[in-house]
């Protein structure tokens, strides 16, 4: 495990998630590529993030945006070559940026050569690399295990006519589950980690980490009165949420620990209770168990303040480092909250105790784009509120030119860039000190040079007006106060018992009056104060 000194890079730093299809296209196919990311690294340096998490770049038929892999150690030609990946690592490291790859160990594409081999014959050498079972007595699926894809509810088992057995595919039939009970699978996945670690990657975000493994006795999930469990994903005991997942992950941790200073991030269920996040991180040897509280909680002062406090206390007590995000490639962008609340959400993300993850484009306040049905790509919608995930996977906007500078003017981007790209883009916002981009950058600068905000403790401020939340961050004698008004009306906060504060940042309509004793917070706005 990395040192628990509070100064480790992944505790102090800020992650930036890139969806590679959508960052920068250099070869004119309308799809982003690794060279494009290299071209844009200076944006990330200027912005002031520390590490990049890349969604999958591996060989894939792209039936699930690359989370359906056919070769874990090859770069998909649409993104470039292995040499391009090496160049990206070198160029990133030269600029002091770390690179974390997405690692997808739960399943492969149904077109993976191992899967094709496994399907070919009951006696195939790799038959038991995937999960196969005979039909139940009535010819139906062997257990009552269900698919977790919104698009394809129903059994997780799929009959293979040729060999007469059912294959387990929890997420989609195009992504069958690996058999994690098989040591050969575990060794193959450890080899994948070594392959990328040897090339210099700084860690991994582990996809569907809590889903590794299923019951070796193939017991049916218990269902109340014969019906499905109330919340299948959370309540499943045999299909996934297996205790073995933690053992498997600890084995992977041991591999990663053969290399200095690497990070392991685990994708967790979106509504995982806080105690599960803490326990999982601790027991599975995970540095950051992804916390989606800012997405799943109602964005009200009461709900967020209570969640922040509970998560703070639990992570502190469990000796686990916290983390936060506002969106990702599965969850809508924070502009869903409207303005100016989306600015306040960014301020919150970058001042809370714990490692922040910024999703590409959120530094601009990119909208969730209304992608017309004939331009949609994603077939496995798993996002909140049934929104197609395409809405928040649209191309990064670099300038006000054609295709927002994402791809050459005569190319067609794989998803539309959105109508308002002439206003919401890097070039325009770089010229506007009041922009979301500059706010994000200033907050990143502030965070970097303020130990109280990076590694400081956090204490909830009570007695605030309805709709407001506040907390102080303290380290090395330095005290910062963060106040957010998440309500739709202005609020006034009186500061008592503190000396005159100094404003260090605001999202806009926030000010100090009466010799610093009163903070006026406009509806939806926020302020960071330094206390004497
Ligand atoms: C994870 C990924 C998601 C993908 C799914 C199946 O949840 O974040 O994008 O569709 O796994 O691989």
């Amino acid at each position: 495990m990395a040192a628990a000194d509070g100064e480790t890079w992944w505790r102090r730093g800020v992650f930036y998630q890139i969806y590679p299809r959508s960052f920068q296209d250099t070869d004119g196919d309308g799809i982003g590529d690794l060279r494009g990311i290299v071209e844009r690294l200076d944006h990330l340096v200027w912005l002031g993030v520390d590490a990049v998490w890349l969604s999958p770049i591996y060989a894939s038929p792209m039936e699930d945006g690359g989370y359906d892999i056919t070769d874990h150690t090859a770069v998909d030609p649409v993104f470039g070559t292995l040499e391009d990946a090496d160049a990206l690592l070198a160029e990133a490291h030269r600029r002091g940026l770390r690179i974390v790859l997405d690692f997808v160990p739960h399943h492969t594409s149904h077109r993976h050569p191992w899967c094709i081999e496994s399907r070919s014959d009951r006696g195939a050498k790799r038959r038991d690399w995937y999960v196969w079972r005979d039909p139940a007595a009535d010819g139906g699926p062997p257990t009552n295990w269900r698919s977790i894809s919104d698009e394809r509810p129903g059994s997780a088992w799929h009959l293979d006519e040729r060999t007469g057995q059912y294959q387990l595919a929890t997420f989609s039939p195009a992504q069958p589950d690996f058999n994690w009970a098989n040591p050969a699978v575990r060794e193959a996945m450890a080899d994948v980690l070594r392959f990328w670690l040897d090339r210099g990657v700084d860690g991994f975000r582990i996809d569907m980490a809590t889903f590794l493994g299923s019951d070796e006795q193939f017991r049916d999930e218990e269902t109340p009165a014969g019906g499905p469990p109330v919340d299948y994903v959370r309540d499943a005991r045999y299909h996934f949420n297996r205790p073995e997942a933690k053992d498997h992950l600890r084995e992977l941790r041991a591999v990663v620990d053969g290399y200095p200073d690497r990070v392991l991030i685990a994708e967790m269920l979106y509504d995982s209770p806080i105690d599960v996040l803490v326990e999982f991180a601790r027991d599975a040897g995970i540095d950051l168990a992804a916390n989606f509280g800012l997405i799943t909680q109602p964005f009200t002062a009461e709900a967020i303040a209570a969640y922040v406090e509970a998560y703070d206390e639990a992570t502190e007590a469990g000796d686990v480092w916290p983390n936060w995000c506002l969106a990702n490639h599965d969850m809508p962008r924070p502009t869903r909250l409207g303005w100016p609340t989306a600015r306040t959400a960014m301020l919150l993300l970058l001042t809370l105790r714990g490692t922040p993850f910024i999703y590409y484009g959120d530094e601009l306040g990119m909208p969730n784009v209304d992608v017309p049905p004939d331009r949609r790509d994603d077939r496995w919608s798993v996002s909140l509120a049934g929104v197609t995930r395409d809405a928040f996977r649209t191309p990064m906007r670099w300038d006000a030119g054609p295709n927002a500078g994402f791809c050459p003017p005569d190319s067609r981007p794989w998803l539309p860039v959105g109508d308002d790209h002439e206003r919401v883009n890097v070039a325009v916002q770089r010229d506007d000190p009041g922009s979301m981009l500059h706010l994000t950058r200033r907050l990143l600068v502030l965070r970097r040079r303020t130990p109280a905000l990076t590694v400081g403790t956090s204490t909830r401020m009570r007695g605030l007006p309805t709709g407001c939340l506040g907390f102080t961050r303290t380290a090395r004698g330095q005290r910062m106060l963060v106040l957010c008004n998440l309500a739709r009306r202005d609020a006034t906060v009186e500061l008592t018992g503190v000396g005159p504060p100094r404003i260090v940042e605001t999202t806009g309509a926030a000010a100090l009056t009466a010799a610093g004793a009163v903070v006026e917070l406009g509806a939806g706005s926020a302020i960071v104060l330094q206390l004497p």
Side-chain angles (χ1 to χ4, degrees):
M1 274 274 206
D5 60 2
E7 296 294 336
T8 318
W9 67 269
W10 50 263
R11 293 183 179 227
R12 208 183 42 231
V14 176
F15 283 81
Y16 184 96
Q17 181 190 355
I18 290 180
Y19 196 67
R21 292 179 78 79
S22 282
F23 208 54
Q24 177 68 61
D25 171 28
T26 57
D27 59 7
D29 63 359
I31 299 175
D33 43 52
L34 297 181
R35 288 182 183 203
I37 297 173
V38 171
E39 272 185 19
R40 297 298 188 179
L41 284 175
D42 288 335
H43 169 69
L44 304 182
V45 173
W46 176 83
L47 188 61
V49 297
D50 302 271
V52 174
W53 151 27
L54 288 183
S55 279
I57 56 169
Y58 317 108
S60 164
M62 304 289 167
E63 291 174 277
D64 182 24
Y67 283 90
D68 49 322
I69 296 173
T70 50
D71 184 347
H72 292 77
T73 57
V75 172
D76 194 274
V78 88
F79 297 129
T81 62
L82 206 48
E83 288 68 42
D84 293 336
D86 288 340
L88 171 59
L89 281 164
E91 289 296 323
H93 288 162
R94 200 163 66 76
R95 291 167 171 81
L97 291 167
R98 317 248 179 177
I99 299 280
V100 166
L101 294 184
D102 222 305
F103 174 55
V104 189
H106 170 265
H107 51 256
T108 67
S109 162
H110 59 135
R111 298 174 203 264
H112 194 301
W114 296 341
C115 191
I116 292 170
E117 183 188 333
S118 173
R119 260 183 198 177
S120 65
D121 188 272
R122 282 191 185 216
K125 192 171 117 239
R126 287 204 173 84
R127 180 70 169 176
D128 64 349
W129 281 45
Y130 294 81
V131 185
W132 293 99
R133 294 294 277 176
D134 286 333
D138 65 357
T143 67
N144 66 353
W145 299 354
R146 288 168 45 208
S147 162
I148 61 159
S149 153
D150 290 355
E151 206 61 29
R152 292 240 184 181
S155 178
W157 293 100
H158 304 278
L159 183 64
D160 175 53
E161 303 282 349
R162 191 141 51 108
T163 59
Q165 283 191 309
Y166 278 88
Q167 184 175 31
L168 184 64
T170 296
F171 187 71
S172 99
Q175 290 153 277
D177 295 25
F178 259 140
N179 177 13
W180 270 80
N182 182 347
V185 167
R186 304 205 292 271
E187 197 43 41
M189 288 299 100
D191 282 343
V192 168
L193 295 185
R194 288 186 197 101
F195 176 88
W196 291 107
L197 288 163
D198 285 339
R199 303 193 99 83
V201 308
D202 298 289
F204 302 92
R205 174 265 189 190
I206 306 173
D207 188 68
M208 289 181 68
T210 59
F211 288 77
L212 296 188
S214 46
D215 180 36
E216 290 178 38
Q217 295 174 48
F218 293 90
R219 281 169 283 191
D220 273 338
E221 293 295 355
E222 286 152 27
T223 56
V230 186
D231 182 333
Y232 184 77
V233 174
R234 214 173 28 211
D235 298 340
R237 291 175 56 201
Y238 300 119
H239 181 185
F240 42 77
N241 296 328
R242 299 294 304 160
E244 295 90 332
K246 293 177 180 171
D247 302 335
H248 301 325
L249 289 166
R250 272 201 313 276
E251 272 183 44
L252 298 180
R253 174 88 240 175
V255 173
V256 171
D257 279 348
Y259 300 74
D261 227 13
R262 306 302 211 265
V263 70
L264 281 185
I265 303 158
E267 182 189 27
M268 303 295 291
L269 291 179
Y270 288 105
D271 54 357
S272 295
I274 285 170
D275 55 335
V276 171
L277 297 179
V278 171
E279 266 171 44
F280 196 84
R282 223 183 28 214
D283 300 349
I286 293 294
D287 299 309
L288 302 169
N291 162 31
F292 300 107
L294 292 179
I295 303 176
T296 54
Q297 296 301 306
F299 212 73
T300 63
E302 292 67 29
I304 298 290
Y307 187 90
V308 166
E309 185 177 41
Y311 182 63
D312 253 335
E313 284 174 9
T315 47
E316 184 98 55
D319 196 19
V320 157
W321 187 248
N323 68 90
W324 301 95
C325 69
L326 297 171
N328 64 25
H329 64 292
D330 294 327
M331 291 287 172
R333 295 182 178 280
T335 41
R336 69 181 180 275
L337 301 169
W339 298 104
T341 310
R343 289 168 74 94
T344 288
M346 183 61 86
L347 183 141
L348 193 58
L349 174 73
L350 297 178
T351 54
L352 284 170
R353 187 177 80 90
T355 301
F357 285 75
I358 298 177
Y359 185 49
Y360 83 95
D362 283 350
E363 74 271 38
L364 303 172
M366 258 171 66
N368 295 293
V369 174
D370 191 8
V371 179
D374 64 332
R375 296 286 313 267
R376 288 190 191 157
D377 180 84
D378 181 36
R379 40 188 121 170
W380 314 116
S381 173
V382 293
S383 81
L384 282 180
V387 182
T388 160
R389 295 185 296 183
D390 294 327
F392 37 88
R393 295 177 174 181
T394 57
M396 179 69 176
R397 287 108 168 260
W398 297 105
D399 57 46
N403 297 325
F406 162 70
C407 58
D410 52 351
S411 307
R412 180 176 154 102
W414 76 288
L415 286 177
V417 294
D419 297 336
D420 55 352
H421 85 263
E422 277 149 20
R423 198 172 45 83
V424 181
N425 65 63
V426 174
V428 163
Q429 292 198 11
R430 272 188 76 143
D431 288 341
D432 173 9
S435 64
M436 179 78 172
L437 181 61
H438 274 282
L439 173 69
T440 306
R441 181 171 188 251
R442 284 195 309 271
L443 286 164
L444 285 165
V445 171
L446 175 67
R447 190 182 165 91
R448 184 185 294 274
R449 61 155 204 251
T450 312
L453 292 180
T454 47
V455 294
T457 55
S458 180
T459 310
R460 177 174 177 179
M461 187 173 180
R462 297 192 177 268
L464 291 171
T466 314
C468 293
L469 70 86
F471 50 93
T472 47
R473 302 285 317 275
T474 309
R476 300 174 199 160
Q478 184 184 47
R479 222 158 39 119
M480 312 296 282
L481 171 62
V482 179
L483 292 169
C484 303
N485 177 5
L486 303 187
R488 286 172 198 275
R489 55 177 184 281
D490 299 352
T492 302
V493 178
E494 282 181 39
L495 299 176
T496 47
V498 295
R502 185 172 69 81
I503 299 183
V504 280
E505 191 53 79
T506 76
T507 57
L512 274 176
T513 55
V518 177
V519 185
E520 302 288 352
L521 281 175
S525 62
I527 194 165
V528 184
L529 299 166
Q530 176 150 18
L531 301 179

